[in-house]
Amino acid sequence: MNDEEGGARRRPDRRLERHEATKQELVGMAWRLARERGLGSWSLRDLADAVGMRAPSLYVYFEGKNALFDAMFADGYRAFLARIDATPIERNPHAMIRRAAHVFFDFCTEDPARFQLLFLRTIPGFAPSDESYGLARQALDRLVEVLRQADVADPRDVDLWTAVLTGLATQQISNDPGGDRWARVVDEAVDRFLAGRPPPRKARTPGRRRDRDA
């Protein structure tokens, strides 16, 4: 194979790039409509009108509205994982749990439409695909690891934790949108959740391993 042939094989597929760019534009506009009108209060025709496209053309990109919701679900969890990745690590496990609680709470309350799609079953008949739900599993696994660092490993504790934080976010969105009534009790909720548990293990400090007889 000569260099010219190799270059041809490595050349980007412009049609695929345009296709993916259009899909992302549609997902972005779908989020905009969801935030303006409500998660389920718009149609594919509304979306087509918003981007200047004929409604039948949407089916080149999505098989139907549930497929579009699936793309939005994946997009939302990618944003959540990016937020987690950008969160500074606390050496104290309990302090890290508090930080994780605020990251989750803030992510939920800053975008109610996204919260509804990612964490509540508000769309009849919609279930995320295995691929998209895999992103949700990644986020949960990251949470479980944070809890495990504080010796909280029982699956029931994880269920309780998600119920408490989702409940606080729901209350904030429903009863004090734009305020901080439930934001103010996030730390207290964490402290009560951790109350009565044994002290967390000390975080390991990177460095040379000490000899047993030292």
Side-chain angles (χ1 to χ4, degrees), residues 25-42:
E25 180 185 2
L26 290 170
V27 169
M29 182 56 69
W31 277 124
R32 179 175 175 179
L33 292 174
R35 289 158 185 152
E36 292 176 352
R37 306 184 188 183
L39 188 59
S41 300
W42 49 274

Side-chain angles (χ1 to χ4, degrees), residues 67-89:
L68 177 57
F69 280 134
D70 187 65
M72 294 168 67
F73 184 93
D75 181 73
Y77 265 105
R78 289 191 194 99
F80 187 35
L81 288 166
R83 183 75 59 88
I84 293 171
D85 288 339
T87 300
I89 302 298

Side-chain angles (χ1 to χ4, degrees), residues 16-32 47 51 53 61-62 68 70-72 74-76 78:
L16 180 59
E17 289 181 348
R18 288 194 295 270
H19 183 86
E20 290 301 317
T22 301
K23 285 184 70 173
Q24 286 304 308
E25 180 185 2
L26 290 170
V27 169
M29 182 56 69
W31 277 124
R32 179 175 175 179
L47 176 61
V51 297
M53 182 183 293
Y61 304 96
F62 299 104
L68 177 57
D70 187 65
M72 294 168 67
D75 181 73
R78 289 191 194 99

